[in-house]
Amino acid sequence: MRWSIEESLDPASMLAEIRMVRREGLTRLRELEVPMLRRAAAGASERDPVAWPLAVEGVLRTAVELLGEGDLREAAECSLGIRPALRGRPAADRRRLAARVYGVSTERFRKFQELVVLGQVAERVCWLAGHGADGRSRGEERAAALPAPDLQHQWVELRGGGHRARVLLHVHPVELVRGVDVLVAPTNTHLELPAVYKGSVSAALRRAAAVRDPAGTVLRDAVQEGLTAWRRRYGLTHPVDPGTVVPTEPGALGRQGVRRIYHAAVAIPRTGSNDYDVLPRDVVAAAAAALDLMDREAPSFAPSLRSLCFSLLGAGRGGLPARESASALWPTLARAAATGREVHLVMRRPAVAATVLQVLGGRLVADAEGRSVSGCDRVVREAAP
């Protein structure tokens, strides 16, 4: 049977069950109430009412493998006890080892990185449930619908409208981007960011940019303070026009090599609801405005601003289909690449990355020696002091 992620499995609810598994451990799976994980395992393996804990463990292991090589996978293996040596270790030990991967305190890891890591596992469990065994090869299904694990950081060539652009594609949360001068992220026309515990791109950046003490307590809400100061500077008491781009300092993201965050106001709140309207034309305008702003600001930085990373503006809470957001961004991506900018594109879900590659005729590119270029090590090296 094939499950639909959108109709059947909710990543947020899946995350709650995975956090329970992290807390109680794989050795106690049979004692836990994890109906969504059981459904995911049923979609990704043969049904067996006796051996379901093995099936659940199997789907968790596969989801962790799909994170590819790097800190995300290593931290997930430690946190969940996927590694044989950690299988029976207490939750506190596993969390401490996972925190060590990121070089942060256990409390800091609990409040931030752990949610990111386990959230990525939840996304992949949901994907596996939607592409489980139904008589076809699992390997064939993955190849058709999911970018390879090293597409977490992979140079691709995108094409459209007679133009081509070499873009570094990131398939992971936006807050894990490193070594990029400018991050371009969506916001609403009121320039009010969502609460830090929300799952949107703007909430993730607000959370990641917050300046904290060693215990994880927020000392300065850097991004929201920057947006508020910008409104005050221009005496604004009303929403900005759709397509407006507002720059702020990167806050704590500066430690990852990020030097500016450009907030693209593309989401128009619907009065009396929690929903937004996003028009492709506003995404086109915001993307172009972001590149123009970068050109104006670049000379005032040493070294000059050169690289920028777009998220799929409006494709999250804004409700704009990913293919429409990618198409709206394309003219600016092509222009930026043509003028010598280093262009990045980030999205959380592998399935969305596959859609972008399909819409923009993407293909993997190789370096001069014919090897696939991941870009991950290069980006991390450039971000290092």
Side-chain angles (χ1 to χ4, degrees), residues 162-222:
H163 300 284
R164 296 188 179 191
R166 194 167 181 264
V167 175
L168 185 57
L169 183 67
H170 300 252
V171 186
H172 56 64
V174 66
E175 62 268 32
L176 298 182
V177 170
R178 292 175 177 268
V180 174
D181 293 329
V182 177
L183 275 175
V184 184
T187 190
N188 57 63
T189 53
H190 290 264
L191 303 182
E192 289 289 340
L193 298 180
V196 294
Y197 54 81
K198 297 290 187 178
S200 65
V201 168
S202 53
L205 285 180
R206 180 181 187 180
R207 186 167 59 239
V211 178
R212 303 169 185 267
D213 64 17
T217 303
V218 174
L219 301 177
R220 187 164 65 90
D221 189 358

